[in-house]
Amino acid sequence: MNLSLEGKTYVVMGVANKRSIAWGIAQSLSQAGARLIFTYGGERMEKNVRTLADSLEQEHSLVYPCDITDDAEIEKTFQQIKDEVGTIHGLAHCIAFANKEELDGDYLNTTRDGFMLAHNISSYSLTAVAKVIRELDLMREGGSIVTMTYLGGEKVVKNYNVMGVAKASLDASVRYLANDFGKENIRVNAISAGPMRTLSAKGIGGFNEVIKEMEEKAPLRRPVTQEEVGDTALFLMSDMARGITGELIHVDGGYNKVG
Ligand code: N5H
């Protein structure tokens, strides 16, 4: 058993730019010999994703649009992936969204629409994609599904608000999906990363203080890097993690353990 992903194919959803956690994951998987397929959510992202995908050492990069709020589009995208590669061995789901104005102040101010939007994109999308993977029998050799979560789904974190509630739903989905998929030797896990300067974190109020708190309070006394999160995803995708499913692994320098 080793960390090699040679001869295996993975779908990475949610690369926006080079700082994306999804891109950190892609780099770690690629270095381990994996073939990668990317999906992106909006036309604005396409150019970035293509440029990044082309920079990897693989014959030709496969990049598809996939609006995860649209079941027909998910099905179409994954059917195209099936037609192209036949079987996949893993999925990295790195997708979340909430209205910016609801990531500030009281959670109580969340609107019904904002609640539904955050849950639809940040939580249900994992289940929607998992469903299509099962329907198309895309992981017929077994596999590993990894999603990204955050501490705000387990504890109250200032300003995380409706995203915290959506992450709690995502975390629970990981456990139920792990149970559904276990008999097919498909594992489902979540990585809870510490705060990182990604595009989705950009412009979020109070982010600097959150980083400062990591430097002061986290056992490792520093924020975590894209590479550290990527390498944890690589471990979860590899046979080395063959006994782990339904799990939430913190990659946060130990921050969650400190009161
Ligand atoms: C406690 C915090 C800080 C406050 C909350 C931050 C929540 C961030 C997550 C969501 C996904 C951010 C989001 O949806 C922002 C959008 O409203 C606006 N941004 C965009 O549309 C950009 C262009 C695109 C690329 O973003 C998305 N999502 O599509 C949490 C932080 C300390 C840690 C953190 C930042 C966690 C996290 O979940 O990302």
Side-chain angles (χ1 to χ4, degrees):
M1 293 290 165
N2 57 45
L3 286 169
S4 170
L5 302 182
E6 213 70 56
K8 293 184 172 175
T9 304
Y10 295 81
V11 176
V12 178
M13 310 184 82
V15 174
N17 65 17
K18 66 177 179 8
R19 284 169 176 264
S20 295
I21 291 177
W23 181 241
I25 293 175
Q27 285 174 291
S28 291
L29 302 188
S30 175
Q31 280 157 20
R35 179 181 188 188
L36 299 180
I37 300 168
F38 295 91
T39 75
Y40 60 89
E43 272 168 37
R44 282 185 308 153
M45 303 295 171
E46 181 175 1
K47 195 165 166 283
N48 266 350
V49 181
R50 285 198 186 277
T51 309
L52 288 168
D54 289 343
S55 73
L56 293 174
E57 280 179 36
Q58 52 179 20
E59 274 163 39
H60 62 290
S61 43
L62 299 169
V63 179
Y64 299 96
C66 188
D67 172 359
I68 43 77
T69 62
D70 180 344
D71 288 332
E73 182 157 329
I74 298 174
E75 203 154 326
K76 186 176 149 213
T77 302
F78 281 82
Q79 182 63 56
Q80 283 177 304
I81 291 172
K82 185 172 180 175
D83 294 344
E84 189 69 40
V85 301
T87 305
I88 65 167
H89 302 89
L91 170 83
H93 170 276
C94 313
I95 296 171
F97 187 86
N99 288 328
K100 203 166 171 173
E101 57 277 13
E102 296 184 350
L103 299 169
D104 191 19
D106 283 359
Y107 167 67
L108 269 174
N109 295 330
T110 307
T111 61
R112 188 180 297 274
D113 281 351
F115 185 95
M116 307 265 262
L117 179 70
H119 283 71
N120 190 15
I121 299 186
S122 316
S123 177
Y124 186 72
S125 62
L126 177 68
T127 300
V129 172
K131 230 185 215 310
V132 168
I133 287 174
R134 158 81 65 83
E135 272 163 25
L136 297 176
D137 196 20
L138 250 176
M139 280 193 194
R140 73 185 78 85
E141 295 170 12
S144 172
I145 296 174
V146 174
T147 188
M148 297 307 305
T149 189
Y150 181 61
L151 185 63
E154 302 173 81
K155 297 178 185 181
V156 173
V157 174
K158 192 170 169 237
N159 293 339
Y160 203 59
N161 298 355
V162 68
M163 268 309 303
V165 182
K167 289 298 193 190
S169 154
L170 179 71
D171 296 353
S173 298
V174 164
R175 295 186 282 271
Y176 280 94
L177 291 171
N179 189 50
D180 289 348
F181 273 131
K183 44 195 178 297
E184 293 148 55
N185 196 29
I186 296 170
R187 299 178 289 102
V188 187
N189 295 288
I191 294 174
S192 180
M196 292 163 68
R197 288 188 194 282
T198 61
L199 184 59
S200 83
K202 212 176 162 153
I204 299 278
F207 191 76
N208 287 344
E209 284 87 273
V210 183
I211 296 280
K212 197 160 160 259
E213 181 138 325
M214 283 287 287
E215 287 162 351
E216 285 168 4
K217 295 204 181 136
L220 291 182
R221 303 294 196 288
R222 61 169 178 82
V224 291
T225 67
Q226 214 181 11
E227 289 76 20
E228 288 165 337
V229 175
D231 287 351
T232 303
L234 162 58
F235 164 68
L236 286 172
M237 295 299 188
S238 79
D239 290 339
M240 300 290 273
R242 63 197 176 280
I244 301 175
T245 196
E247 194 59 85
L248 188 168
I249 300 186
H250 296 95
V251 183
D252 66 347
Y255 180 80
N256 74 94
K257 304 302 175 207
V258 183

